Structure formats: C-alpha cells, structure tokens
Amino acid sequence: MRSSAVTILLAACLANGAAALRADDPPPNFVIVLADDCTYNELHLYGGKNLQTPNIDALASQGMLFRRAYLAMSMCVPCRAELYTGLYPVRSGVAWNHSPARPTTRSVCHYLGERGYRVGLAGKVHANPREVFPFEMVEGFERDCVAPTAGHDCTGIREFITRDPKQPFYLAIGLVVPHAPWTVGDPSRFNPKKLVLPPHLVDTPVTRQSYAAYLAEIEVLDQQLGDILKTIDESGQAERTIVLFSSEQGGQFPGCKWTNWDLGVHTAMIVRWPDKIPPGTQTDALVQYADVLPTLIEAAGGDPGTLHLDGTSFLPVLLGKKGEHRRHVYLMHNNVPEGPPYPIRSIRDDRLHYIRNLTPDEIYIERHLMGRSEHNPYWSSWMFTSPDNPHAYATVRRYMRRPAEELYDPAQDPFELNNLAGDPRYAADKARLSAELDRWMASQEDPGAAVDTMQSLQSRRREAAGPPR
C-alpha cells in the first residue's frame, strides 16, 4: 500500500509533468547546503512546534521534501565523508569522529572534477586528508563549528558561482549552526516557559533556556539559507542548479547526536531542481547520504554503477519515475574518541528500526554532552532531579544503560521510547532485520565491537607517544 506522501508525490508528478533528462540538457550545477546538528523534527515541515523557518519552507515549496532520509553515523566527520564519497563508514575508513579517510578513497572532487566540474567548499570542512577531499576553498562562511560567532558573507560563493557560466560547478556550503555552544541568534524571541519540549528531554528551567538558545541558532540557519538561495537566484544560474539542503544529524541533546536513535540519524532533506522536480512534492522513499553522490553523478551524465560505490542513485525518485528507492538504510556508531568504546549497529526498513548495542554491559558516556558545561548546562540538572523525578531518572538511565537489542516503530513512536524487541508479536520482524544487519556488516568487513576497541587502543598509544616529530 502506498503511503500518503508517496501518493502526493506521484499525483504532483502527473499533474505537473516532471521533465525527463534530455541528451542536449547542459550538465546541472550542484549546491549542497548542510546545517550542523539540527534535529530534523525541529523544523516546521517535519512537525516542529516551536519556530518558523520561512526560507526552508519556501525551498520545500519549490522542490521535493524527503520524509525518510538518513545518514549512517550521527557524527560530523563520518556523515560528511559518507556524503562526499558515496561510501559507508567502514569502507571509507571514516568510522569514528575526526578520523581520516583512507588515502586511496575517491570523493566528489574526483568524480565530478573528471567530468569538468569546479568543486568548491565554503564554511565547515571536517573532511580529511586533503588528497581525498581536494576542494577549492571558498571564503565567506565561518569554518569553526564551536566559534562564538557564525558570520557569513555571500561574496565568495557569488564569485565561485558566476566565475565561468559555461563550466558546471559543485559547491558544498557547511554552515556551523546550530552546533553547540549556542551563542548566536536571539533567544529572547522565545519564551522558555511556553516552549513545547519533546518527550526525550527532561523539563527543567535550564533545559528550557538551552532549548531556546538552540532554536535561536536554527533561526540563523534559516536566514543563512535564505541569503544563499537569493545569491543563487541573482546569479542567473538558478534554472540549471540543483539545490540540496540537509539538516545533517540530530542536535546536541541526549538521544539525538551521537546515537543511532531516529533523532540522531534521521535528516531533513529537500531538493530543488527547476523544470525537473515538480514544486511542492514529497516522498517517503528511503535514502541515505551514501546515495547523494551517485545521484549527482548520474544527473551530470555519468554512470555511477561502474564506480563501486555503496550508495545508489535516487535520480528516478527526483524525476518522478519511481516512488521507492531502498529497502533498508544501514546505521552505525563507534564512540571513540568522544567517549569509551560503545559500538552500535542498526538497520531500518520502511516500517521498523532495529538497533543492536554490541557492548550492553557497559555504560554509554559522551564526553561533550556529559562533561562540558558550555555545551550542556542542562545535564547536571537532569542528574540532580533524578532521585525525585521518575521521568528524569528514566531519561538518564535510557541514555546511559541500553539493552542488547532495541526495536521501534517510528511511525507510531517517533521518539523511539517504546522498545518492542521483547514483544513476541515482532519476533519475526526482529529476526529478519537482524539477519540483514549481519549480512551488511559482513559485506563491509565490519567486525563489530572489535573495531571501536581497536581504535581506542590506537588512540591511547598515539596519546602516550606524544605529538609526531
């Protein structure tokens, strides 16, 4: 049975006549705009109740909104490597935060560069080594995600876009909002007492103050996206430019970033392509970051099927030729260097999300969330209220002590608070997803828990040896 969102997509395509690619079409330009740690369902389009994002909404009204887009790891460096290489984390080598890609890895810089594209990056980089990601560095957007400011000036991207109208370009723009600490925007626009807190947070005054500061940064995100879109529209290149916006991973609250729960790995994604994507369409097709690069390669006239990528092109979804893409998305977490080893693997199909915690006897610790007060002033208030507040105790315990298996129905339980893994009615589903997760891990040569432990030992040896000479 087709979902209502897929029905909307197909009906819109039939009504508006999604255009097919023609041999004489010029190769499209690409602009990829990434937020930084923005939980997808904070946005109005995905059910957010606390703020308005007029520029994000406008972009969706001009293109296609993906309701089921995912990234393999809810960490800054691995998710960007997946996006830029079309590979899952173990294949690329970027299976931990801040780890470099294997030197033999190829990225969008190579694949589109070989097709005659200029390939640039403005703002946050978080992709190394340089030989794997040889972007042209475009100035004008803050690069430091923990800077107290998030300044932007579109002069640099305007120059890049308009430099040579005959040469196609790819431009990634990595914004640094709403990455913690939340220091930009105007939190006073939000009354903390009136905010609708999601159920995975503990309701304390400092939580509400922090949440208001986080929402203020999302407003800045929306403003920056608006300036970027205006620059594209004024460049004369808008009609041949594919714009993809993604909220990246979940925000820096417990249960979002650095987890495999839906609020960590589910990302907002919107794609605008004038005259090719009917405006205002939506799709429930399952996609993930690894699929973006092959999609762009195919849109540029290449054949991604010959490149041995992990992702596959969802261009037929964009063009209204298909309503489905993947059967499964594959997700993982390795905790090093953000805390002690705590590896997680999971898989999601169009209905259920199965999570396997590989070392369930350990406690989960993430050093930024639980140890840096400038990033998380609310955490201590959760701990303090736990003895007298059952919800606070349950929330802290859920975050730090996890069972070996979890199973959720995100459509019925979007915050994944009701674990169905022990429910006999779901035994067959759990077995099916568990077997497919095993198959995927074997195909990636992923040994599971040993990977995170191995990386932890290597990190300790490097620290003991001191800086290289």
Side-chain angles (χ1 to χ4, degrees), residues 41-44 47-52 194-196 211 415:
N41 66 0
E42 305 289 4
L43 304 180
H44 177 258
K49 297 179 173 61
N50 293 295
L51 82 164
Q52 299 298 315
K194 294 185 177 181
L195 293 175
V196 180
Y211 196 54
F415 295 94

Side-chain angles (χ1 to χ4, degrees), residues 73-351:
M73 288 189 75
S74 58
M75 293 185 181
C76 297
V77 177
C79 78
R80 288 161 196 269
E82 181 188 6
L83 182 71
Y84 298 148
T85 67
L87 301 176
Y88 296 131
V90 173
R91 284 274 310 276
S92 71
V94 191
W96 304 267
N97 213 13
H98 302 294
S99 60
R102 293 189 177 91
T104 55
T105 305
R106 288 164 59 82
S107 73
V108 62
C109 303
H110 305 98
Y111 294 121
L112 290 185
E114 291 166 357
R115 301 197 66 81
Y117 278 71
R118 289 182 286 115
V119 183
L121 187 152
K124 180 172 176 174
V125 180
H126 269 43
N128 64 88
R130 181 71 172 163
E131 58 265 29
V132 174
F133 304 101
F135 290 101
E136 176 186 336
M137 290 295 138
V138 180
E139 298 305 317
F141 283 75
E142 175 65 61
R143 297 196 190 278
D144 183 358
C145 61
V146 296
T149 59
H152 76 286
D153 179 342
C154 291
T155 303
I157 67 169
R158 182 180 295 109
E159 187 281 327
F160 182 85
I161 290 171
T162 59
R163 184 185 306 163
D164 181 356
K166 295 182 180 180
Q167 184 182 20
F169 64 83
Y170 168 105
L171 176 62
I173 305 175
L175 307 180
V176 297
V177 282
H179 193 291
W182 301 306
T183 54
V184 303
D186 183 6
S188 70
R189 286 174 44 79
F190 302 93
N191 183 341
K193 294 181 180 180
K194 294 185 177 181
L195 293 175
V196 180
L197 289 187
H200 67 289
L201 302 185
V202 178
D203 191 350
T204 66
V206 68
T207 300
R208 288 182 171 273
Q209 292 164 5
S210 297
Y211 196 54
Y214 165 62
L215 295 174
E217 291 221 349
I218 298 178
E219 286 196 321
V220 174
L221 156 66
D222 187 71
Q223 294 160 10
Q224 292 186 343
L225 175 64
D227 288 346
I228 292 167
L229 295 175
K230 181 180 179 182
T231 301
I232 296 170
D233 292 343
E234 292 176 348
S235 72
Q237 296 276 7
E239 293 303 309
R240 58 174 289 194
T241 299
I242 297 175
V243 176
L244 184 152
F245 166 78
S246 174
S247 64
E248 204 210 35
Q249 63 219 5
Q252 201 159 300
F253 283 101
C256 300
K257 183 178 182 180
W258 292 308
T259 77
N260 270 44
W261 288 317
D262 193 75
L263 297 187
V265 294
H266 193 157
T267 187
M269 185 183 291
I270 301 168
V271 183
R272 182 183 79 177
W273 192 1
D275 297 326
K276 294 292 189 290
I277 297 176
T281 53
Q282 299 181 7
T283 177
D284 277 337
L286 275 173
V287 301
Q288 68 180 90
Y289 269 14
D291 299 326
V292 171
L293 178 57
T295 302
L296 304 187
I297 291 171
E298 185 175 14
D303 181 4
T306 65
L307 301 177
H308 307 291
L309 303 176
D310 286 324
T312 55
S313 170
F314 55 81
L315 185 64
V317 175
L318 294 179
L319 297 177
K321 297 179 179 179
K322 291 178 62 178
E324 299 177 348
H325 182 57
R326 285 174 166 267
R327 293 184 61 192
H328 305 96
V329 291
Y330 303 97
L331 316 161
M332 66 182 299
H333 176 83
N334 290 324
N335 207 40
V336 176
E338 311 302 353
Y342 200 97
I344 308 168
R345 304 292 183 266
S346 69
I347 181 173
R348 194 202 193 286
D349 64 11
D350 64 352
R351 189 168 62 92

Side-chain angles (χ1 to χ4, degrees), residues 351-383:
R351 189 168 62 92
L352 298 173
H353 183 195
Y354 170 73
I355 300 175
R356 187 184 298 162
N357 298 300
L358 302 184
T359 55
D361 293 334
E362 301 295 331
I363 62 171
Y364 181 81
I365 297 174
E366 197 290 309
R367 69 176 78 209
H368 297 88
L369 177 65
M370 303 169 72
R372 293 183 64 175
S373 60
E374 71 271 23
H375 282 198
N376 58 337
Y378 50 83
W379 178 259
S380 60
S381 73
W382 296 15
M383 297 289 285

